[in-house]
Amino acid sequence: MPFGRTEEELEPFVQSIKDRFGPVPEVVKDLFETVRLRWMAESLGFEKLALKGGVMKCYFLPSSKEKYYKSDTFGKIIRFVQTQPKKTKMKEYKNRLILHISGVDSISKAKKWLEDMKKG
């Protein structure tokens, strides 16, 4: 990608697109929001994130990353999940922990869920 891994590095790229091509189409805005969503997911320790059919699946780091599972970040996620029993469930599949969240039908809703998780 032609930009780094922070908002401060993404913004000049977004501005250069506007300067060069004019107003940014919604599809391109969605692409930038997807990049931001991915950064948020990574900051929470999710290796992969998938949105499909109104369900967001958050794939945690491999179980061999023991240090992560003892971290404050993982603790916040667990506490958050406990407050949302109707919308969330955790499953283990092939030694991989996956968090399922229902009712997530847009990137903005996915970002909101991740923001709430970060708060604990």
Side-chain angles (χ1 to χ4, degrees):
M1 288 191 176
F3 48 85
R5 302 206 33 92
T6 67
E7 189 66 34
E8 293 76 29
E9 294 170 313
L10 179 60
E11 272 311 309
F13 179 72
V14 172
Q15 190 57 48
S16 71
I17 296 291
K18 288 178 186 176
D19 293 345
R20 191 168 186 189
F21 300 107
V24 179
E26 283 303 311
V27 205
V28 177
K29 288 179 184 176
D30 287 347
L31 176 64
F32 292 134
E33 287 304 302
T34 301
V35 168
R36 290 178 177 106
L37 179 66
R38 180 172 174 85
W39 290 343
M40 290 175 72
E42 287 175 353
S43 75
L44 285 164
F46 298 124
E47 186 173 63
K48 178 181 169 185
L49 190 94
L51 282 172
K52 186 175 180 183
V55 176
M56 178 168 64
K57 293 182 183 178
C58 306
Y59 296 79
F60 285 91
L61 294 168
S63 57
S64 61
K65 304 287 185 186
E66 188 177 320
K67 184 178 177 183
Y68 168 74
Y69 290 97
K70 294 178 180 180
S71 72
D72 185 49
T73 299
F74 183 70
K76 284 181 180 180
I77 293 169
I78 295 300
R79 285 188 297 278
F80 179 78
V81 167
Q82 290 170 339
T83 67
Q84 301 290 330
K86 292 182 180 181
K87 293 270 189 179
T88 63
K89 65 180 133 176
M90 294 182 110
K91 295 182 178 181
E92 189 173 353
Y93 179 74
K94 295 185 179 181
N95 292 328
R96 181 62 57 102
L97 191 58
I98 304 168
L99 172 60
H100 293 244
I101 304 171
S102 60
V104 184
D105 57 5
S106 68
I107 294 170
S108 62
K109 283 185 183 177
K111 284 178 64 180
K112 175 75 171 111
W113 275 94
L114 296 182
E115 287 168 1
D116 291 347
M117 272 185 236
K118 241 182 182 171
K119 294 175 191 170

XYZ file of all heavy atoms in Angstrom, residues 19-116:
808
model
N -7.253 15.519 -4.261
C -6.609 16.549 -5.077
C -6.478 16.106 -6.531
O -6.645 16.903 -7.450
C -5.222 16.891 -4.524
C -5.285 17.566 -3.161
O -6.378 18.034 -2.770
O -4.236 17.608 -2.492
N -6.189 14.870 -6.721
C -5.929 14.364 -8.065
C -7.198 14.049 -8.844
O -7.285 14.297 -10.039
C -5.069 13.103 -7.956
C -4.523 12.619 -9.240
C -3.486 11.577 -8.984
N -2.846 11.201 -10.222
C -2.029 10.211 -10.356
N -1.730 9.479 -9.313
N -1.498 9.920 -11.512
N -8.218 13.480 -8.143
C -9.396 12.979 -8.851
C -10.709 13.660 -8.466
O -11.755 13.337 -9.003
C -9.544 11.470 -8.614
C -8.363 10.678 -9.080
C -7.480 10.128 -8.167
C -8.114 10.485 -10.433
C -6.382 9.391 -8.581
C -7.019 9.751 -10.866
C -6.147 9.208 -9.934
N -10.664 14.563 -7.506
C -11.892 15.220 -7.078
C -12.564 14.453 -5.953
O -11.921 13.684 -5.243
N -13.866 14.655 -5.788
C -14.587 13.988 -4.698
C -14.382 12.474 -4.723
O -14.410 11.846 -5.781
C -16.053 14.335 -4.968
C -16.004 15.585 -5.782
C -14.742 15.477 -6.614
N -14.194 11.913 -3.537
C -13.924 10.481 -3.423
C -15.253 9.716 -3.445
O -16.149 9.997 -2.637
C -13.166 10.184 -2.107
C -12.901 8.705 -1.947
C -11.858 10.965 -2.057
N -15.394 8.752 -4.357
C -16.621 7.963 -4.427
C -16.814 7.132 -3.148
O -15.853 6.790 -2.462
C -16.396 7.041 -5.626
C -15.241 7.611 -6.369
C -14.434 8.403 -5.388
N -18.055 6.797 -2.856
C -18.386 6.020 -1.656
C -17.617 4.700 -1.598
O -17.197 4.275 -0.530
C -19.887 5.746 -1.577
C -20.699 6.938 -1.128
C -20.263 7.494 0.224
O -20.113 6.705 1.191
O -20.081 8.721 0.319
N -17.436 4.060 -2.734
C -16.732 2.772 -2.749
C -15.293 2.926 -2.263
O -14.799 2.088 -1.521
C -16.683 2.169 -4.174
C -16.545 0.678 -4.134
C -17.865 2.553 -5.002
N -14.674 4.018 -2.632
C -13.297 4.278 -2.206
C -13.281 4.648 -0.721
O -12.407 4.201 0.029
C -12.645 5.383 -3.076
C -11.245 5.706 -2.586
C -12.618 4.955 -4.540
N -14.267 5.410 -0.273
C -14.372 5.722 1.151
C -14.520 4.434 1.960
O -13.916 4.292 3.018
C -15.561 6.651 1.414
C -15.360 8.068 0.945
C -16.598 8.902 1.221
C -16.447 10.305 0.654
N -17.666 11.108 0.835
N -15.334 3.512 1.441
C -15.506 2.214 2.114
C -14.191 1.450 2.186
O -13.905 0.793 3.185
C -16.558 1.365 1.394
C -17.968 1.870 1.619
O -18.185 2.711 2.514
O -18.870 1.417 0.869
N -13.395 1.561 1.143
C -12.090 0.906 1.143
C -11.206 1.464 2.260
O -10.580 0.703 3.007
C -11.398 1.080 -0.213
C -9.982 0.524 -0.314
C -9.983 -0.988 -0.131
C -9.362 0.902 -1.645
N -11.186 2.777 2.406
C -10.396 3.396 3.480
C -10.925 2.989 4.855
O -10.157 2.753 5.782
C -10.374 4.917 3.335
C -9.598 5.403 2.135
C -10.121 6.379 1.304
C -8.351 4.879 1.841
C -9.399 6.833 0.196
C -7.631 5.323 0.739
C -8.155 6.296 -0.084
N -12.245 2.900 4.986
C -12.827 2.465 6.257
C -12.473 1.005 6.550
O -12.262 0.627 7.702
C -14.345 2.656 6.258
C -14.757 4.105 6.377
C -14.183 4.777 7.614
O -14.432 4.316 8.736
O -13.448 5.776 7.447
N -12.368 0.204 5.515
C -11.957 -1.191 5.677
C -10.522 -1.268 6.189
O -10.202 -2.087 7.050
C -12.097 -1.952 4.338
O -13.459 -1.878 3.919
C -11.689 -3.402 4.477
N -9.667 -0.402 5.674
C -8.278 -0.342 6.152
C -8.263 0.031 7.631
O -7.574 -0.610 8.439
C -7.449 0.672 5.324
C -6.111 0.956 5.977
C -7.260 0.169 3.901
N -9.039 1.028 7.994
C -9.112 1.444 9.403
C -9.650 0.306 10.285
O -9.160 0.077 11.386
C -9.989 2.680 9.542
C -9.357 3.926 8.952
C -10.292 5.133 9.067
N -9.666 6.331 8.576
C -9.973 6.917 7.408
N -10.913 6.403 6.630
N -9.349 8.015 7.028
N -10.652 -0.401 9.794
C -11.222 -1.534 10.525
C -10.171 -2.613 10.753
O -10.048 -3.164 11.845
C -12.421 -2.107 9.765
C -13.112 -3.314 10.389
C -13.774 -2.947 11.705
C -14.142 -3.876 9.405
N -9.396 -2.881 9.743
C -8.339 -3.891 9.866
C -7.310 -3.476 10.924
O -6.864 -4.290 11.724
C -7.659 -4.110 8.522
C -6.564 -5.146 8.577
C -6.040 -5.476 7.188
N -4.908 -6.340 7.243
C -4.969 -7.661 7.318
N -6.147 -8.254 7.351
N -3.888 -8.391 7.362
N -6.933 -2.209 10.933
C -5.987 -1.716 11.939
C -6.549 -1.898 13.338
O -5.844 -2.316 14.257
C -5.664 -0.247 11.711
C -4.840 0.047 10.502
C -4.084 -0.830 9.775
C -4.680 1.322 9.874
N -3.467 -0.176 8.744
C -3.814 1.140 8.774
C -5.191 2.581 10.132
C -3.442 2.183 7.941
C -4.818 3.622 9.298
C -3.949 3.428 8.214
N -7.839 -1.589 13.495
C -8.473 -1.756 14.805
C -8.458 -3.222 15.228
O -8.168 -3.541 16.382
C -9.915 -1.242 14.766
C -10.037 0.246 14.640
S -11.755 0.769 14.443
C -12.363 0.476 16.093
N -8.788 -4.095 14.294
C -8.815 -5.530 14.588
C -7.433 -6.016 15.013
O -7.296 -6.757 15.996
C -9.308 -6.306 13.364
N -6.411 -5.598 14.298
C -5.047 -6.004 14.635
C -4.643 -5.485 16.011
O -3.974 -6.186 16.765
C -4.063 -5.517 13.570
C -4.166 -6.282 12.274
C -3.276 -5.716 11.176
O -2.664 -4.643 11.361
O -3.209 -6.356 10.109
N -5.070 -4.273 16.349
C -4.702 -3.708 17.649
C -5.352 -4.475 18.801
O -4.867 -4.434 19.929
C -5.071 -2.225 17.721
O -6.460 -2.057 17.893
N -6.426 -5.190 18.509
C -7.099 -6.001 19.526
C -6.581 -7.441 19.547
O -7.022 -8.241 20.365
C -8.610 -6.000 19.287
C -9.320 -4.710 19.675
C -10.704 -4.647 19.053
C -9.412 -4.602 21.185
N -5.681 -7.762 18.637
C -5.122 -9.104 18.613
C -5.838 -10.063 17.683
O -5.657 -11.276 17.769
N -6.653 -9.528 16.775
C -7.314 -10.388 15.804
C -6.411 -10.526 14.581
O -5.952 -9.541 14.020
C -8.675 -9.832 15.387
C -9.652 -9.733 16.519
C -10.260 -8.536 16.823
C -9.957 -10.834 17.297
C -11.162 -8.427 17.866
C -10.855 -10.743 18.347
C -11.462 -9.538 18.630
N -6.192 -11.751 14.192
C -5.348 -12.017 13.039
C -6.121 -11.816 11.738
O -5.564 -11.429 10.711
C -4.825 -13.452 13.131
C -3.821 -13.806 12.079
C -3.231 -15.168 12.338
O -3.985 -16.156 12.316
O -2.022 -15.234 12.565
N -7.419 -12.063 11.804
C -8.263 -11.976 10.610
C -9.645 -11.547 11.052
O -10.081 -11.843 12.159
C -8.321 -13.352 9.948
C -9.185 -13.462 8.737
C -9.164 -14.892 8.215
C -10.241 -15.094 7.163
N -10.319 -16.488 6.732
N -10.348 -10.838 10.169
C -11.696 -10.383 10.444
C -12.521 -10.617 9.189
O -12.062 -10.335 8.085
C -11.663 -8.884 10.772
C -12.932 -8.300 11.310
C -12.881 -8.322 12.832
C -13.081 -6.877 10.849
N -13.725 -11.139 9.354
C -14.592 -11.383 8.200
C -16.002 -10.873 8.510
O -16.519 -11.100 9.605
C -14.637 -12.867 7.880
N -16.600 -10.181 7.548
C -17.986 -9.714 7.641
C -18.776 -10.390 6.534
O -18.460 -10.218 5.359
C -18.061 -8.203 7.416
C -17.686 -7.286 8.540
C -17.636 -5.845 8.053
C -18.643 -7.403 9.690
N -19.788 -11.174 6.942
C -20.575 -11.860 5.929
C -21.934 -12.212 6.517
O -22.010 -12.759 7.615
C -19.861 -13.129 5.464
C -20.537 -13.825 4.323
C -19.721 -15.000 3.847
C -20.430 -15.679 2.695
N -19.701 -16.860 2.252
N -22.972 -11.885 5.790
C -24.316 -12.254 6.204
C -24.723 -11.703 7.556
O -25.431 -12.372 8.308
N -24.274 -10.499 7.890
C -24.645 -9.882 9.147
C -23.880 -10.401 10.358
O -24.224 -10.094 11.490
N -22.858 -11.204 10.105
C -22.041 -11.753 11.192
C -20.592 -11.324 10.990
O -20.053 -11.416 9.884
C -22.119 -13.295 11.239
C -21.194 -13.864 12.300
C -23.553 -13.745 11.485
N -19.994 -10.832 12.068
C -18.564 -10.517 12.039
C -17.845 -11.640 12.778
O -18.209 -11.977 13.905
C -18.281 -9.170 12.713
C -16.801 -8.825 12.752
S -16.435 -7.096 13.216
C -17.041 -7.004 14.890
N -16.854 -12.216 12.122
C -16.031 -13.244 12.741
C -14.639 -12.668 12.965
O -14.011 -12.177 12.030
C -15.939 -14.486 11.856
C -17.244 -15.223 11.713
C -17.074 -16.464 10.861
C -18.402 -17.153 10.659
N -18.273 -18.333 9.787
N -14.204 -12.729 14.214
C -12.902 -12.219 14.605
C -12.027 -13.412 14.973
O -12.330 -14.123 15.931
C -13.028 -11.278 15.804
S -14.216 -9.932 15.568
N -10.980 -13.620 14.213
C -10.087 -14.756 14.423
C -8.910 -14.312 15.280
O -8.134 -13.454 14.869
C -9.578 -15.290 13.083
C -10.674 -15.856 12.209
C -11.516 -15.014 11.481
C -10.867 -17.225 12.121
C -12.530 -15.533 10.673
C -11.878 -17.753 11.317
C -12.700 -16.897 10.604
O -13.695 -17.409 9.817
N -8.802 -14.904 16.458
C -7.721 -14.561 17.370
C -6.391 -15.134 16.882
O -6.359 -16.020 16.023
C -8.010 -15.122 18.770
C -9.060 -14.357 19.514
C -10.391 -14.719 19.430
C -8.722 -13.273 20.303
C -11.367 -14.023 20.122
C -9.691 -12.565 21.005
C -11.016 -12.945 20.909
N -5.325 -14.637 17.478
C -3.989 -15.160 17.214
C -3.950 -16.637 17.582
O -4.757 -17.106 18.387
C -2.965 -14.399 18.059
C -2.793 -12.913 17.724
C -1.981 -12.224 18.816
C -2.120 -12.758 16.380
N -3.004 -17.388 17.026
C -2.905 -18.808 17.367
C -2.726 -19.008 18.874
O -2.171 -18.150 19.564
C -1.654 -19.273 16.620
C -1.400 -18.246 15.583
C -1.989 -16.966 16.085
N -3.191 -20.144 19.365
C -3.116 -20.416 20.799
C -1.671 -20.495 21.293
O -1.420 -20.390 22.480
C -3.854 -21.711 21.129
O -3.333 -22.787 20.379
N -0.727 -20.632 20.392
C 0.680 -20.660 20.787
C 1.170 -19.286 21.267
O 2.222 -19.177 21.874
C 1.550 -21.131 19.618
O 1.416 -20.234 18.525
N 0.404 -18.247 20.998
C 0.757 -16.884 21.434
C 0.238 -16.671 22.863
O -0.586 -15.813 23.127
C 0.157 -15.833 20.486
C 0.540 -16.005 19.038
C 1.972 -15.621 18.814
C 2.280 -15.690 17.325
N 3.648 -15.478 17.020
N 0.740 -17.465 23.774
C 0.263 -17.494 25.157
C 0.289 -16.124 25.828
O -0.613 -15.773 26.589
C 1.106 -18.486 25.955
C 0.596 -18.746 27.336
C 1.420 -19.793 28.049
O 1.817 -20.780 27.418
O 1.676 -19.589 29.239
N 1.297 -15.337 25.529
C 1.431 -14.016 26.156
C 0.194 -13.152 25.871
O -0.299 -12.451 26.737
C 2.700 -13.335 25.650
C 2.989 -12.005 26.300
C 4.292 -11.421 25.785
C 4.554 -10.053 26.391
N 5.758 -9.439 25.858
N -0.314 -13.217 24.644
C -1.490 -12.427 24.273
C -2.690 -12.813 25.142
O -3.436 -11.955 25.610
C -1.837 -12.607 22.787
C -3.190 -12.044 22.457
C -3.383 -10.669 22.377
C -4.299 -12.873 22.290
C -4.635 -10.131 22.120
C -5.549 -12.347 22.036
C -5.711 -10.980 21.952
O -6.957 -10.451 21.703
N -2.877 -14.111 25.372
C -4.053 -14.586 26.108
C -3.997 -14.241 27.595
O -4.984 -14.394 28.296
C -4.260 -16.083 25.866
C -4.709 -16.322 24.446
C -3.805 -16.681 23.453
C -6.027 -16.123 24.083
C -4.223 -16.865 22.142
C -6.460 -16.303 22.773
C -5.546 -16.666 21.810
O -5.965 -16.824 20.520
N -2.868 -13.740 28.042
C -2.737 -13.266 29.417
C -2.740 -11.738 29.481
O -2.573 -11.160 30.543
C -1.438 -13.804 30.031
C -1.452 -15.307 30.191
C -0.145 -15.801 30.755
C -0.172 -17.322 30.908
N 1.094 -17.827 31.449
N -2.933 -11.099 28.346
C -2.832 -9.631 28.257
C -4.112 -8.939 28.715
O -5.198 -9.530 28.752
C -2.522 -9.212 26.821
O -3.667 -9.409 25.994
N -3.966 -7.662 29.023
C -5.099 -6.817 29.392
C -6.068 -6.692 28.214
O -7.287 -6.667 28.406
C -4.587 -5.438 29.834
C -5.707 -4.552 30.339
O -6.506 -5.020 31.173
O -5.793 -3.390 29.883
N -5.550 -6.638 27.010
C -6.395 -6.510 25.815
C -7.337 -7.698 25.701
O -8.543 -7.534 25.490
C -5.527 -6.401 24.537
O -4.707 -5.239 24.644
C -6.381 -6.302 23.285
N -6.804 -8.905 25.855
C -7.647 -10.100 25.778
C -8.669 -10.082 26.918
O -9.840 -10.421 26.717
C -6.796 -11.374 25.822
C -7.608 -12.623 25.664
C -8.204 -12.937 24.453
C -7.777 -13.488 26.731
C -8.963 -14.091 24.309
C -8.533 -14.645 26.599
C -9.120 -14.951 25.391
N -8.251 -9.651 28.093
C -9.167 -9.547 29.229
C -10.322 -8.604 28.950
O -11.475 -8.884 29.305
N -10.039 -7.483 28.308
C -11.088 -6.523 27.950
C -12.093 -7.150 26.990
O -13.302 -6.942 27.110
C -10.479 -5.273 27.304
C -9.817 -4.340 28.273
C -9.273 -3.123 27.546
C -8.610 -2.169 28.510
N -8.071 -0.988 27.815
N -11.578 -7.898 26.020
C -12.464 -8.547 25.049
C -13.376 -9.543 25.760
O -14.586 -9.578 25.524
C -11.649 -9.219 23.919
C -10.948 -8.145 23.085
C -12.558 -10.084 23.043
C -9.915 -8.689 22.119
N -12.811 -10.347 26.647
C -13.603 -11.337 27.381
C -14.681 -10.645 28.220
O -15.852 -11.055 28.205
C -12.698 -12.216 28.277
C -11.752 -13.058 27.428
C -13.528 -13.096 29.211
C -12.453 -14.001 26.460
N -14.312 -9.594 28.932
C -15.294 -8.864 29.743
C -16.402 -8.281 28.860
O -17.581 -8.328 29.203
C -14.612 -7.757 30.549
C -13.832 -8.284 31.740
C -13.318 -7.177 32.649
N -12.363 -6.283 32.029
C -11.056 -6.536 31.898
N -10.555 -7.667 32.351
N -10.255 -5.648 31.323
N -16.012 -7.758 27.710
C -16.997 -7.193 26.795
C -17.947 -8.278 26.286
O -19.165 -8.092 26.258
C -16.312 -6.487 25.623
C -17.287 -5.917 24.655
C -17.940 -4.726 24.936
C -17.577 -6.567 23.480
C -18.874 -4.199 24.055
C -18.505 -6.050 22.589
C -19.150 -4.861 22.885
N -17.410 -9.405 25.898
C -18.221 -10.512 25.394
C -19.220 -10.966 26.466
O -20.377 -11.264 26.167
C -17.322 -11.685 24.927
C -18.122 -12.953 24.694
C -16.568 -11.291 23.658
N -18.792 -10.975 27.705
C -19.675 -11.387 28.796
C -20.859 -10.441 28.963
O -21.912 -10.847 29.443
C -18.889 -11.481 30.104
C -17.917 -12.639 30.119
C -16.968 -12.613 31.308
O -16.751 -11.573 31.933
N -16.403 -13.772 31.627
N -20.705 -9.192 28.536
C -21.810 -8.236 28.639
C -22.758 -8.305 27.443
O -23.784 -7.639 27.442
C -21.296 -6.786 28.775
O -20.660 -6.389 27.548
C -20.358 -6.634 29.952
N -22.402 -9.093 26.433
C -23.193 -9.179 25.205
C -23.537 -10.635 24.857
O -23.298 -11.089 23.739
C -22.409 -8.561 24.036
C -22.026 -7.126 24.215
C -23.226 -6.209 24.144
O -24.206 -6.484 23.476
N -23.151 -5.097 24.850
N -24.131 -11.397 25.780
C -24.325 -12.833 25.536
C -25.289 -13.166 24.393
O -25.182 -14.234 23.793
C -24.865 -13.351 26.877
C -25.494 -12.162 27.524
C -24.664 -10.989 27.080
N -26.198 -12.258 24.075
C -27.155 -12.546 22.995
C -26.571 -12.290 21.616
O -27.024 -12.845 20.625
C -28.429 -11.739 23.180
C -29.215 -12.181 24.400
C -30.492 -11.415 24.531
C -31.237 -11.915 25.767
N -32.506 -11.244 25.962
N -25.579 -11.433 21.553
C -24.996 -11.048 20.259
C -23.660 -11.718 19.963
O -23.214 -11.738 18.820
C -24.798 -9.525 20.204
C -26.067 -8.732 20.201
C -26.504 -8.523 18.797
C -27.663 -7.554 18.723
N -28.074 -7.342 17.362
N -22.987 -12.205 21.010
C -21.637 -12.740 20.822
C -21.527 -14.185 21.295
O -22.247 -14.623 22.189
C -20.597 -11.912 21.599
O -20.876 -12.010 23.005
C -20.609 -10.458 21.185
N -20.607 -14.905 20.662
C -20.235 -16.227 21.158
C -18.829 -16.546 20.662
O -18.419 -16.110 19.584
C -21.235 -17.298 20.783
C -21.377 -17.596 19.313
C -22.399 -18.678 19.099
C -23.327 -18.247 17.985
N -24.303 -19.198 17.607
N -18.131 -17.282 21.491
C -16.778 -17.678 21.138
C -16.780 -19.172 20.854
O -17.422 -19.941 21.560
C -15.805 -17.349 22.258
C -15.651 -15.868 22.470
S -14.450 -15.502 23.744
C -13.166 -14.817 22.754
N -16.040 -19.531 19.812
C -15.926 -20.932 19.427
C -14.462 -21.247 19.179
O -13.688 -20.363 18.802
C -16.710 -21.216 18.148
C -18.195 -21.054 18.268
C -18.874 -21.415 16.974
C -20.381 -21.293 17.094
N -21.056 -21.654 15.853
N -14.130 -22.495 19.366
C -12.791 -22.935 19.015
C -12.918 -23.857 17.817
O -13.761 -24.752 17.780
C -12.141 -23.675 20.183
C -10.683 -23.954 19.925
C -9.961 -24.524 21.126
O -10.554 -24.585 22.207
O -8.795 -24.913 20.961
N -12.110 -23.595 16.817
C -12.128 -24.392 15.598
C -10.684 -24.626 15.172
O -9.943 -23.668 14.930
C -12.912 -23.658 14.503
C -12.975 -24.394 13.197
C -13.794 -25.510 13.054
C -12.228 -23.982 12.113
C -13.859 -26.195 11.851
C -12.284 -24.656 10.902
C -13.099 -25.767 10.775
O -13.153 -26.441 9.592
N -10.298 -25.887 15.131
C -8.928 -26.274 14.747
C -7.885 -25.500 15.561
O -6.983 -24.871 15.013
C -8.697 -26.066 13.259
C -9.539 -26.965 12.388
C -9.193 -26.815 10.930
C -10.033 -27.745 10.089
N -9.713 -27.660 8.670
N -8.038 -25.537 16.874
C -7.118 -24.864 17.797
C -7.046 -23.351 17.589
O -6.043 -22.721 17.898
C -5.712 -25.460 17.740
C -5.703 -26.865 18.283
O -6.482 -27.191 19.178
N -4.835 -27.710 17.755
N -8.097 -22.790 17.040
C -8.156 -21.346 16.802
C -9.432 -20.818 17.432
O -10.505 -21.336 17.181
C -8.155 -21.075 15.297
C -8.181 -19.631 14.856
C -6.992 -18.820 15.293
N -5.729 -19.339 14.883
C -4.989 -18.900 13.884
N -5.400 -17.902 13.172
N -3.832 -19.438 13.618
N -9.307 -19.778 18.248
C -10.452 -19.160 18.896
C -11.055 -18.122 17.949
O -10.328 -17.306 17.373
C -10.002 -18.493 20.198
C -11.075 -18.012 21.156
C -11.984 -19.168 21.582
C -10.434 -17.369 22.380
N -12.384 -18.192 17.782
C -13.082 -17.284 16.877
C -14.247 -16.648 17.636
O -15.035 -17.343 18.272
C -13.629 -18.020 15.634
C -12.505 -18.759 14.912
C -14.331 -17.029 14.693
C -12.997 -19.729 13.852
N -14.340 -15.333 17.554
C -15.438 -14.592 18.159
C -16.456 -14.281 17.069
O -16.115 -13.678 16.051
C -14.915 -13.296 18.790
C -15.946 -12.299 19.304
C -16.827 -12.916 20.375
C -15.250 -11.042 19.818
N -17.706 -14.712 17.279
C -18.802 -14.438 16.347
C -19.667 -13.340 16.944
O -20.066 -13.441 18.108
C -19.682 -15.682 16.156
C -19.010 -16.802 15.466
N -19.428 -17.268 14.250
C -17.958 -17.572 15.812
C -18.661 -18.282 13.877
N -17.755 -18.477 14.827
N -19.967 -12.324 16.151
C -20.831 -11.235 16.599
C -21.950 -11.073 15.578
O -21.687 -10.825 14.394
C -20.053 -9.910 16.744
C -18.863 -10.103 17.687
C -20.971 -8.812 17.250
C -17.911 -8.938 17.729
N -23.186 -11.223 16.021
C -24.317 -11.122 15.095
C -24.824 -9.683 15.021
O -24.570 -8.871 15.913
C -25.444 -12.062 15.537
O -25.888 -11.735 16.825
N -25.544 -9.393 13.941
C -26.120 -8.066 13.761
C -25.138 -7.015 13.277
O -25.364 -5.831 13.459
N -24.072 -7.457 12.637
C -23.060 -6.527 12.119
C -23.179 -6.537 10.588
O -22.640 -7.408 9.919
C -21.634 -6.920 12.564
C -20.630 -5.881 12.088
C -21.560 -7.096 14.065
N -23.895 -5.542 10.069
C -24.158 -5.532 8.635
C -23.473 -4.391 7.884
O -23.809 -4.106 6.742
C -25.662 -5.510 8.380
C -26.348 -4.325 9.039
O -25.650 -3.461 9.611
O -27.592 -4.256 8.994
N -22.520 -3.729 8.550
C -21.802 -2.656 7.867
C -20.427 -2.464 8.515
O -20.194 -2.903 9.651
C -22.586 -1.342 7.955
O -22.621 -0.879 9.298
N -19.564 -1.799 7.799
C -18.226 -1.507 8.312
C -18.319 -0.588 9.522
O -17.609 -0.772 10.508
C -17.340 -0.893 7.202
C -17.091 -1.932 6.107
C -16.020 -0.396 7.768
C -16.452 -1.393 4.860
N -19.232 0.372 9.470
C -19.359 1.300 10.594
C -19.818 0.571 11.862
O -19.335 0.864 12.962
C -20.285 2.465 10.259
O -21.581 2.009 9.976
N -20.718 -0.394 11.741
C -21.142 -1.171 12.911
C -19.992 -2.030 13.423
O -19.812 -2.183 14.627
C -22.348 -2.047 12.581
C -23.644 -1.290 12.534
C -24.821 -2.221 12.333
C -26.109 -1.436 12.227
N -27.265 -2.302 11.962
N -19.225 -2.588 12.501
C -18.069 -3.399 12.902
C -17.073 -2.547 13.675
O -16.554 -2.971 14.715
C -17.409 -4.016 11.668
N -16.809 -1.340 13.191
C -15.891 -0.431 13.892
C -16.407 -0.102 15.285
O -15.649 -0.076 16.242
C -15.677 0.854 13.075
C -14.751 0.669 11.894
C -14.602 1.928 11.091
C -13.959 3.044 11.882
N -13.793 4.283 11.130
N -17.712 0.117 15.411
C -18.308 0.434 16.703
C -18.112 -0.729 17.683
O -17.745 -0.520 18.840
C -19.800 0.747 16.512
C -20.559 0.985 17.794
C -20.238 2.349 18.379
C -21.163 2.664 19.528
N -20.508 2.676 20.828
N -18.319 -1.945 17.230
C -18.109 -3.113 18.086
C -16.664 -3.176 18.559
O -16.394 -3.411 19.733
C -18.481 -4.404 17.352
C -19.933 -4.738 17.440
C -20.904 -4.409 16.537
C -20.590 -5.446 18.488
N -22.116 -4.884 16.963
C -21.952 -5.522 18.156
C -20.147 -6.021 19.674
C -22.880 -6.159 18.964
C -21.087 -6.656 20.486
C -22.433 -6.726 20.132
N -15.737 -2.979 17.642
C -14.329 -3.046 18.019
C -13.941 -1.919 18.979
O -13.175 -2.119 19.916
C -13.424 -3.037 16.778
C -13.565 -4.245 15.844
C -12.572 -4.135 14.695
C -13.397 -5.559 16.576
N -14.499 -0.722 18.739
C -14.237 0.402 19.653
C -14.739 0.073 21.058
O -14.062 0.336 22.048
C -14.917 1.674 19.144
C -14.236 2.280 17.938
C -15.086 3.368 17.263
O -16.210 3.689 17.733
O -14.622 3.895 16.233
N -15.938 -0.512 21.129
C -16.500 -0.883 22.436
C -15.664 -1.960 23.122
O -15.493 -1.937 24.339
C -17.946 -1.335 22.281
C -18.884 -0.183 21.909
O -18.466 0.988 22.019
O -20.032 -0.472 21.515
